[in-house]
Amino acid sequence: MGNVYNRLIDVLKCCEENPYFMLKNDISLFFGPSTQLSDVSTSLFGESLLDSQTEAVLAKLVVVLRCKCELFFKDFLKHGKYHEPSNNIIKKSASCPPNNICLERLMAKVNSKFKSALNCNINSIENTIMYSGNKTGAWLEKKSSDDKKNIISEARKSNGSNIKIMKERKSNLFKSHVATIRQRKEQQKKKLEKRSKHKQDILEQMRDIGI
């Protein structure tokens, strides 16, 4: 998609320099032959008259649109981290699913577990879903008795460190939530103060002019 984003910026720059291109349909986003326009498209996108005011408005509109596009697509433009991705990024992105159906199914399972066991914490729910989703039980059954003992023993040994990691994660999430709530309260307070000050200024202006 990087080439499309770069082409879009180039087209907007051309239209910024000469808005006449847009009105005459003399510029296209994609290279190559164009299909013949239907009667409806011809009537909708026909040539328009260009005066100085229209040209100025179009130029300003294109400038704003170009700035927004450069901000939104900066990672895909030149010198962006996805413009010429490294082999490592390509390898990581190769495993990304084309849709979010996996995440939707996972969240549906989490929601179902919450409803069926209200007193259960998120760590237990995640472990249960992971155990069933990864088919850990079936994998463990295929191991020999010695391997089973070693795996279970290692799991018990690492249980303490895993619990510690989960507690730290829970603590960090709690602190993050508290910080977010405080920030929202502060923003709401500033908004109310600003609104109150604005009303007070209006009242003072009305008193000054004798209303």
Side-chain angles (χ1 to χ4, degrees):
M1 293 298 292
N3 293 331
V4 176
Y5 297 140
N6 282 279
R7 174 61 181 167
L8 175 60
I9 299 299
D10 292 339
V11 169
L12 292 175
K13 286 181 179 179
C14 292
C15 295
E16 180 183 340
E17 296 173 358
N18 192 352
Y20 184 79
F21 287 150
M22 289 189 293
L23 296 177
K24 292 294 183 180
N25 295 326
D26 287 339
I27 191 166
S28 175
L29 179 60
F30 300 103
F31 296 103
S34 57
T35 58
Q36 187 176 1
L37 295 177
S38 63
D39 295 337
V40 176
S41 298
T42 303
S43 61
L44 289 175
F45 304 107
E47 294 184 2
S48 304
L49 297 176
L50 179 65
D51 54 23
S52 58
Q53 186 176 3
T54 305
E55 185 176 359
V57 171
L58 285 176
K60 291 182 179 179
L61 179 63
V62 171
V63 169
V64 174
L65 184 59
R66 178 180 58 80
C67 292
K68 290 291 185 182
C69 290
E70 288 178 345
L71 178 63
F72 291 151
F73 308 137
K74 62 180 180 180
D75 290 336
F76 298 93
L77 301 178
K78 192 175 181 180
H79 305 303
K81 59 181 178 180
Y82 298 133
H83 177 61
E84 293 180 353
S86 62
N87 293 331
N88 188 27
I89 293 179
I90 295 174
K91 185 178 180 180
K92 286 182 178 179
S93 61
S95 61
C96 294
N99 51 55
N100 63 344
I101 188 67
C102 296
L103 178 60
E104 290 177 358
R105 288 175 179 171
L106 176 61
M107 295 309 298
K109 290 180 180 179
V110 172
N111 187 42
S112 176
K113 293 290 183 182
F114 264 126
K115 290 181 178 179
S116 60
L118 298 176
N119 295 327
C120 194
N121 58 43
I122 187 65
N123 294 328
S124 299
I125 291 175
E126 287 179 350
N127 292 334
T128 303
I129 294 174
M130 187 179 295
Y131 185 87
S132 60
N134 292 344
K135 299 180 180 179
T136 308
W139 170 79
L140 191 61
E141 284 296 325
K142 295 179 181 179
K143 300 293 181 180
S144 63
S145 58
D146 292 337
D147 289 338
K148 285 182 184 179
K149 290 180 181 179
N150 292 332
I151 292 171
I152 294 173
S153 176
E154 290 296 328
R156 287 173 176 169
K157 289 179 182 178
S158 61
N159 186 44
S161 60
N162 290 333
I163 291 176
K164 183 179 179 181
I165 292 172
M166 290 178 181
K167 286 183 178 179
E168 290 178 354
R169 174 191 171 197
K170 190 174 181 179
S171 176
N172 291 333
L173 287 173
F174 177 76
K175 291 177 181 178
S176 177
H177 290 163
V178 170
T180 302
I181 292 172
R182 287 177 178 172
Q183 183 180 5
R184 289 177 180 174
K185 286 184 177 180
E186 189 67 24
Q187 290 176 351
Q188 184 67 18
K189 182 181 178 181
K190 290 181 179 179
K191 189 182 293 184
L192 292 174
E193 290 176 352
K194 184 178 179 181
R195 190 178 300 171
S196 176
K197 185 177 182 302
H198 181 65
K199 289 181 179 179
Q200 191 66 29
D201 292 341
I202 292 176
L203 290 174
E204 290 179 359
Q205 291 177 6
M206 293 173 66
R207 293 193 192 100
D208 292 340
I209 61 178
I211 298 178

